[in-house]
């Protein structure tokens, strides 16, 4: 689909959703559906908010494209990462037995999962694309535990709005809204192309959010926090990338 027809689709869809073409009505619908991004009115202003709202109204129930097995990239590209912190090497040497994924915040039962526990849980597999904002991409098969199952396990407070996830790399964190957190293709991946997720690709555990750009798929995750407020995290705009001027909602 070309940009223009996609744009037309969004405009038409929005007009239909709003019943009228008025921006005021749209803003109302957006806010009634919890579709105002955390940075609205602060840095990005109304335009960005409405783009986000338009995307979310139309795509929150849609699926990222899945590919057939023959489309899996022969040479997936592992993007370079900053040096991993000192605690990573001993965890790796121990086969990641000591790795824990903490889940806390607005939950009834905070937990810390081992990699082995997550590997035993029912998993979801998907052949999807990692698309970097720099213009390259690759396709791989990812398997892991749907984030929705983890959230169900810990019991999310009904007024929670966002899920923040943190890497063992202290500077790397990102967040998504509840619609994406509960989306069936959002998984805590532990397996790539049928083997343990390799370290260059984020092993032992990585968030896979195939409906958004690659930077939302944070590698080496150690903590998931459920919240209704992104301000306390990083510079307060919901992720290392949005803190640095990229879109918080990076839908593709
Ligand atoms: N912890 C961590 N996660 C990260 C990054 C990183 O540097 N550190 N880079 C991000 C970016 S910008 C992209 S495009 C993808 C790249 O995924 P890949 O290495 O599997 O290609 O990982 C994302 N997740
Ligand atoms: Mo990227």
């Amino acid at each position: 689909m070309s940009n223009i027809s996609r744009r037309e689709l969004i405009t038409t869809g929005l007009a239909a959703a709003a019943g009228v073409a008025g921006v005021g009505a749209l803003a109302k619908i957006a806010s009634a559906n919890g579709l105002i991004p955390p940075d609205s009115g602060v840095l990005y202003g109304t335009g960005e908010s409405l783009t986000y709202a338009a995307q979310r109204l139309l795509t929150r129930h849609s699926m990222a494209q899945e590919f057939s097995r023959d489309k899996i990239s022969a040479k997936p590209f592992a993007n370079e990462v900053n040096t991993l912190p000192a605690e990573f090497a001993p965890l790796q040497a121990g086969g990641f037995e000591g790795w824990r994924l903490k889940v806390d915040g607005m939950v009834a039962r905070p937990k810390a999962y081992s990699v082995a526990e997550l590997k035993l849980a029912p998993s979801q597999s998907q052949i999807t694309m990692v698309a970097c904002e720099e213009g390259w991409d690759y396709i791989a098969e990812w398997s892991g535990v749907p984030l929705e199952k983890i959230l169900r396990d810990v019991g999310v407070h009904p007024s929670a709005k966002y899920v923040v996830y943190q890497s063992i790399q202290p500077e790397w964190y990102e967040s998504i809204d509840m619609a994406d957190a509960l989306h069936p293709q959002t998984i805590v991946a532990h397996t790539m192309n049928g083997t343990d997720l390799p370290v260059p690709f984020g092993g032992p555990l990585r968030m896979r959010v195939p409906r958004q750009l690659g930077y939302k798929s944070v590698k080496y995750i150690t903590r998931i926090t459920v919240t209704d407020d992104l301000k306390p995290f990083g510079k307060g705009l919901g992720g290392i990338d949005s803190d640095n001027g990229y879109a918080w909602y990076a839908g593709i």
Side-chain angles (χ1 to χ4, degrees):
M1 202 186 291
S2 78
N3 282 337
I4 290 171
S5 69
R6 179 169 168 73
R7 201 194 163 112
E8 273 167 7
L9 174 78
I10 287 174
T11 319
T12 320
L14 269 178
V20 294
V23 161
L26 170 60
K28 229 171 166 180
I29 287 185
S31 106
N33 287 281
L35 299 175
I36 298 297
D39 43 23
S40 76
V42 182
L43 274 188
Y44 301 118
T46 323
E48 174 96 355
S49 297
L50 292 182
T51 307
Y52 168 76
Q55 286 257 1
R56 303 307 282 137
L57 282 170
L58 289 172
T59 64
R60 72 201 144 130
H61 302 299
S62 73
M63 303 291 277
Q65 185 177 3
E66 299 209 13
F67 299 84
S68 56
R69 204 157 284 280
D70 59 302
K71 296 288 190 302
I72 292 176
S73 306
K75 287 189 180 149
F77 179 73
N79 203 8
E80 209 184 316
V81 297
N82 293 341
T83 312
L84 294 170
E87 70 251 46
F88 191 88
L91 286 165
Q92 185 175 13
F96 295 120
E97 256 180 50
W99 193 278
R100 291 294 176 275
L101 176 61
K102 277 190 230 154
V103 186
D104 59 12
M106 295 173 70
V107 302
R109 300 169 292 278
K111 287 197 179 168
Y113 299 91
S114 68
V115 178
E117 258 178 298
L118 293 173
K119 281 186 178 164
L120 283 174
S123 70
Q124 197 263 1
S125 287
Q126 51 175 275
I127 299 175
T128 53
M129 181 183 277
V130 171
C132 174
E133 78 291 354
E134 289 165 354
W136 50 267
D137 56 61
Y138 71 88
I139 292 168
E141 181 177 31
W142 306 90
S143 309
V145 185
L147 178 57
E148 184 252 343
K149 300 275 185 256
I150 293 174
L151 295 178
R152 233 172 252 289
D153 194 30
V154 295
V156 169
H157 192 281
S159 63
K161 287 193 188 141
Y162 309 105
V163 172
V164 179
Y165 38 102
Q166 171 71 54
S167 170
I168 199 167
Q169 295 188 286
E171 71 280 16
W172 265 91
Y173 81 105
E174 277 295 342
S175 62
I176 48 180
D177 62 16
M178 278 298 160
D180 262 333
L182 300 174
H183 189 278
Q185 291 171 313
T186 301
I187 64 174
V188 172
H190 50 62
T191 298
M192 179 185 173
N193 294 335
T195 63
D196 287 352
L197 181 58
V199 168
F201 292 96
L205 297 175
R206 168 183 205 169
M207 193 65 80
R208 261 303 278 145
V209 187
R211 294 167 78 246
Q212 297 202 39
L213 286 174
Y215 61 73
K216 291 297 225 185
S217 290
V218 173
K219 308 180 189 188
Y220 325 113
I221 55 168
T222 53
R223 188 172 180 185
I224 292 176
T225 304
V226 179
T227 182
D228 62 358
D229 182 11
L230 296 175
K231 296 218 167 54
F233 302 87
K235 292 184 194 162
L237 292 180
I240 182 174
D241 292 280
S242 34
D243 282 344
N244 288 303
Y246 290 87
W248 172 75
Y249 182 69
I252 44 177

